[in-house]
Amino acid sequence: MDEILAQLSCKNIVDLALLMPKRIENLNFASTYTLNANNCALVEILEQKFAFNKLYCNCYCKNWDLPCQITIFNAKPFHKALFAKGKEVIVYSKVSEYAGIAQFINPKILKNSGNINFIYSIKGVKDEVITKAKKEFINENILKEYKIPKRYIDILLAMCDEESALKYFESEELKHCLKYVELLVHLQELSKVYQNKNLNEKIKTQNIDSWIKTLPFKPTNDQINAINDIKQDLAKTSTKTRIVMGDVGSGKSLVMFAAALMCYPKKVLLMAPTSILATQLYNEAKRLLPGYVKIMLLQKSPSKSMIKQALECNFIIGTHSLLYQDFDDIALVMVDEQQRFSTKQREKLSKANYENIQPHYIEFSATPIPRTTALIHKNIFSYSFIKQMPFKKDIQTILMNVKDSNNLFLHMDEEIKKNNQIIIVYPLIEESKNSIYKPLESVQEFYINRFSNVYSTHGKDKNKEEIMKEFSQNGSVLLSTTIVEVGISLPRLSIIVIVAPERYGLSTLHQLRGRIGRNGVKSYCYLLSKNEFSNRLCEFANTLDGFEIAQIDLKNRKSGDLIEGQNQHGEQFKYFDEYSDRAIIEEVLANKL
């Protein structure tokens, strides 16, 4: 069995059961024909006519007791002999009608009738070998081991038998069965990969009610609900994974600080994607958390003394450098802007375990990557929404062709007069033969001559953090790459222009758009392109809801590899569709794995 499974790239017996023929050849004679379907018939050739490389035969079908016709396009001389007058032949092809008479077009001639053949068309493996293997290895008992409902087991077994398969092949019932079983077994595998592990001891959470009352602002209901969700997670004796979704400015950082305080005096890690954001979170944590919480900022290449100092701290905030340190007795790991890290990076931090003990784990994001969205749908990850904002964002997204840029520049003049700021995001720093867009370096002179107080930076710029700080205080226009996706707060920012938006994922576009309108000021996001706008970008422009954008991203990019995380997007299933088959997810979860 293992050999045939390997040949067919099947991981297990269910994969073999889910392997469906591309078509079924029913070579039985029927008493009447089925229109626009393949039919097998015994015909007698009454006469033939050859003209313009076509052979026309008037025939009599013995099993239908009806006249019929055969047409051979691009006929060769040997066809005349095959369909000679007076011969009886068994033909097989799709049947159409002309003037009420059944028509066979380019039929196959068969030696025998009465068979039903499964056609799989898998290179290197004969169809009959697959048919035999399915009959031999697939049975009710082995399918029951996968907790497949009886009604779906019956359909899968029927598809192993030639006669029974005809009832279900290409039916909606079979399609639903394949989707359900494929998802069911996949979720069983996911449950093993993401199974919760035991903690050293149950975390005794701190009561933070009095701290919340001392805050210089009142938290939103969504923030309080997210904090309570995390409190319940921390009370569990096994590790929990949670995704907290909230747009830029919704107050995710307060939830992070509350989570860290609830774990005190246990150690908590928070990883951010950039030094600017890590520093911003550190300063905010120092401002809001009680003085007895020892907080440390750890980034770039920390010294041995800094590492030693960190071991005595309760709350460590850092960048990628946290991935390469060994911390003991960690109660909670948090990752901000999860879409900026690879699956392997997040996994490495979340599984910083000792003696097979893992910490609780929380990811924060405005728009989860498709892989994460798919795991949320399947109840593998728990989730909390922070949809309420301290202020209502008033953002208009405008799709604009590059040739209309002059209208944009006039709008920029108006915003600068209001003492507002603008960021223009370019996809490239230097010239590229493969791009139809100008790079950032070649447009700097134009903007400097056209506007005042213009700054420019990018990811390779060693002084980017200083330039960003200088721009925040004195700048009007900033030319940049996507490094501005996360980072320093810019409350006066009212316009962001994204050049070549088709080159970016929706998560990045949403993060960039989230930089504007931070204090409720009327703001504008321009998607500036030389191409026609795709449905994906039009859908993006019509919503500001981060989770809805994550759904659109999932629909377009698919979920990727959910088991090993090698790919964070791409097709994962053969039958089941992450976006359109949500009802099947609910059906599987309702039946319990």
Side-chain angles (χ1 to χ4, degrees):
M1 180 174 70
D2 291 342
E3 185 179 345
I4 187 66
L5 289 177
Q7 283 181 301
L8 299 171
S9 300
C10 293
K11 292 180 289 186
N12 50 47
I13 201 70
V14 178
D15 269 3
L16 181 61
L18 292 174
L19 184 61
M20 292 292 117
K22 286 187 169 57
R23 66 181 191 278
I24 296 178
E25 292 182 344
N26 182 1
L27 306 184
N28 287 310
F29 292 147
S31 58
T32 186
Y33 60 86
T34 303
L35 199 60
N36 298 319
N38 287 322
N39 290 255
C40 186
L42 176 64
V43 300
E44 179 185 356
I45 310 299
L46 302 178
E47 59 179 348
Q48 67 170 224
K49 179 182 176 183
F50 189 85
F52 304 107
N53 291 327
K54 296 178 185 176
L55 180 65
Y56 302 94
C57 301
N58 289 325
C59 315
Y60 170 73
C61 179
K62 296 204 166 184
N63 49 295
W64 299 339
D65 192 22
L66 289 172
C68 63
Q69 292 180 339
I70 294 174
T71 302
I72 307 294
F73 290 95
N74 297 315
K76 306 299 179 188
F78 70 84
H79 284 112
K80 290 184 179 181
L82 287 174
F83 296 98
K85 182 178 178 180
K87 287 189 70 172
E88 286 188 358
V89 291
I90 301 171
V91 292
Y92 179 80
S93 78
K94 186 174 285 190
V95 170
S96 57
E97 273 187 351
Y98 179 73
I101 297 177
Q103 303 274 329
F104 288 96
I105 307 296
N106 290 339
K108 285 170 45 176
I109 294 181
L110 306 176
K111 291 182 179 180
N112 300 296
S113 64
N115 296 325
I116 298 175
N117 298 329
F118 290 163
I119 310 300
Y120 292 94
S121 300
I122 295 177
K123 189 176 181 180
V125 187
K126 292 181 179 179
D127 293 324
E128 52 267 32
V129 171
I130 302 173
T131 302
K132 182 182 177 183
K134 291 187 72 168
K135 286 182 177 180
E136 184 177 347
F137 301 126
I138 299 171
N139 57 62
E140 183 172 353
N141 288 334
I142 201 165
L143 294 179
K144 276 183 178 178
E145 293 177 10
Y146 291 87
K147 300 180 182 179
I148 300 172
K150 179 70 164 57
R151 63 186 181 280
Y152 296 135
I153 288 177
D154 291 342
I155 293 173
L156 292 177
L157 292 176
M159 289 306 300
C160 297
D161 178 76
E162 291 90 341
E163 293 287 346
S164 304
L166 295 173
K167 175 184 174 182
Y168 292 106
F169 187 62
E170 295 185 334
S171 69
E172 291 302 315
E173 197 174 359
L174 174 61
K175 291 175 186 176
H176 188 91
C177 166
L178 297 175
K179 291 177 178 182
Y180 181 99
V181 175
E182 183 180 37
L183 177 62
L184 172 69
V185 175
H186 183 73
L187 286 181
Q188 290 169 353
E189 293 177 1
L190 278 177
S191 296
K192 294 174 185 176
V193 173
Y194 292 96
Q195 62 183 335
N196 295 332
K197 295 190 177 180
N198 293 329
L199 296 158
N200 265 327
E201 58 184 26
K202 185 177 177 180
I203 297 173
K204 186 179 180 181
T205 56
Q206 298 294 317
N207 188 320
I208 62 170
D209 292 347
S210 58
W211 171 72
I212 288 176
K213 289 177 183 177
T214 65
L215 292 170
F217 52 84
K218 183 180 179 181
T220 64
N221 289 335
D222 282 356
Q223 285 175 312
I224 295 297
N225 290 336
I227 291 168
N228 287 333
D229 288 341
I230 294 168
K231 183 178 180 180
Q232 291 177 19
D233 291 347
L234 296 174
K236 300 285 194 302
T237 54
S238 58
T239 57
K240 292 287 289 183
T241 297
R242 179 168 296 275
I243 308 296
V244 178
M245 287 166 283
D247 281 328
V248 177
S250 65
K252 295 190 293 292
S253 57
L254 175 66
V255 178
M256 299 174 196
F257 303 153
L261 187 56
M262 283 191 288
C263 292
Y264 180 85
K266 294 280 189 180
K267 194 178 276 79
V268 173
L269 303 182
L270 170 59
M271 183 170 72
T274 67
S275 296
I276 292 177
L277 184 55
T279 303
Q280 195 168 292
L281 287 167
Y282 171 76
N283 291 331
E284 193 73 355
K286 293 286 284 185
R287 182 174 75 90
L288 294 177
L289 285 172
Y292 59 79
V293 179
K294 296 178 182 178
I295 309 169
M296 185 169 185
L297 179 63
L298 203 67
Q299 50 189 349
K300 296 183 179 176
S301 301
S303 63
K304 289 182 179 180
S305 62
M306 290 179 68
I307 299 297
K308 187 176 180 180
Q309 184 183 345
L311 295 175
E312 304 300 319
C313 291
N314 311 115
F315 190 19
I316 304 168
I317 301 170
T319 55
H320 297 74
S321 60
L322 294 178
L323 295 169
Y324 308 104
Q325 312 305 326
D326 289 330
F327 297 106
D328 207 346
D329 196 26
I330 302 171
L332 172 65
V333 166
M334 296 184 284
V335 175
D336 193 18
E337 307 293 355
Q338 62 99 237
Q339 74 282 355
R340 293 290 299 271
F341 298 97
S342 71
T343 300
K344 292 297 182 185
Q345 287 175 326
R346 298 196 307 273
E347 190 176 74
K348 183 176 181 179
L349 194 65
S350 71
K351 293 183 178 178
N353 59 72
Y354 301 87
E355 297 178 1
N356 211 32
I357 305 299
Q358 283 184 214
H360 292 291
Y361 181 65
I362 308 174
E363 291 182 354
F364 293 82
S365 179
T367 50
I369 60 172
R371 182 175 184 272
T372 302
T373 307
L375 290 168
I376 290 169
H377 285 171
K378 298 179 178 69
N379 280 10
I380 299 299
F381 288 172
S382 301
Y383 61 91
S384 302
F385 286 115
I386 308 178
K387 289 193 173 183
Q388 292 172 310
M389 303 286 283
F391 49 84
K392 183 179 179 181
K393 281 201 171 188
D394 188 2
I395 299 174
Q396 182 181 353
T397 305
I398 300 167
L399 307 176
M400 179 176 281
N401 193 282
V402 170
K403 64 184 179 183
D404 299 320
S405 295
N406 194 52
N407 294 330
L408 166 63
F409 300 148
L410 294 174
H411 188 188
M412 289 170 62
D413 289 332
E414 293 174 9
E415 292 299 312
I416 291 170
K417 287 177 184 176
K418 297 177 186 176
N419 197 33
N420 289 333
Q421 294 175 307
I422 295 123
I423 288 180
I424 304 177
V425 179
Y426 274 84
L428 298 169
I429 303 171
E430 301 170 343
E431 199 76 50
S432 171
K433 294 180 181 179
N434 299 322
S435 178
I436 59 174
Y437 294 94
K438 292 180 180 179
L440 189 150
E441 288 184 347
S442 72
V443 298
Q444 291 181 34
E445 186 178 352
F446 167 80
Y447 285 103
I448 290 170
N449 293 333
R450 177 67 173 76
F451 301 98
S452 58
N453 302 320
V454 176
Y455 290 77
S456 179
T457 189
H458 49 78
K460 296 179 180 179
D461 186 351
K462 294 180 179 178
N463 301 315
K464 55 182 175 290
E465 293 183 18
E466 290 74 16
I467 291 172
M468 287 288 291
K469 289 176 183 176
E470 179 70 18
F471 168 73
S472 69
Q473 297 169 9
N474 305 314
S476 296
V477 178
L478 175 67
L479 308 176
S480 177
T481 56
T482 55
I483 60 164
V484 296
E485 181 181 340
V486 293
I488 195 165
S489 179
L490 299 167
R492 293 191 291 123
L493 191 66
S494 65
I495 290 181
I496 189 162
V497 182
I498 306 170
V499 180
E502 63 273 9
R503 296 180 60 134
Y504 303 113
L506 295 187
S507 176
T508 297
L509 292 176
H510 186 60
Q511 284 292 132
L512 289 169
R513 182 171 60 181
R515 307 309 299 160
I516 57 177
R518 293 297 295 267
N519 290 331
V521 64
K522 174 67 177 176
S523 300
Y524 306 86
C525 173
Y526 283 89
L527 304 184
L528 198 62
S529 179
K530 290 186 175 183
N531 299 313
E532 289 188 14
F533 289 97
S534 64
N535 289 335
R536 179 182 75 101
L537 292 177
C538 292
E539 287 180 294
F540 169 81
N542 289 329
T543 182
L544 294 175
D545 188 316
F547 194 62
E548 187 176 337
I549 289 168
Q551 304 298 324
I552 297 168
D553 214 12
L554 177 62
K555 177 177 70 174
N556 286 288
R557 298 170 66 206
K558 305 304 179 185
S559 67
D561 177 11
L562 303 186
I563 303 293
E564 299 192 9
Q566 295 292 341
N567 301 309
Q568 297 193 30
H569 58 83
E571 198 67 68
Q572 169 75 11
F573 298 98
K574 187 175 181 180
Y575 306 108
F576 173 77
D577 184 86
E578 295 278 4
Y579 184 79
S580 60
D581 292 329
R582 293 288 300 280
I584 294 178
I585 296 179
E586 294 171 9
E587 181 187 351
V588 172
L589 294 175
N591 289 339
K592 297 182 181 178
L593 300 182

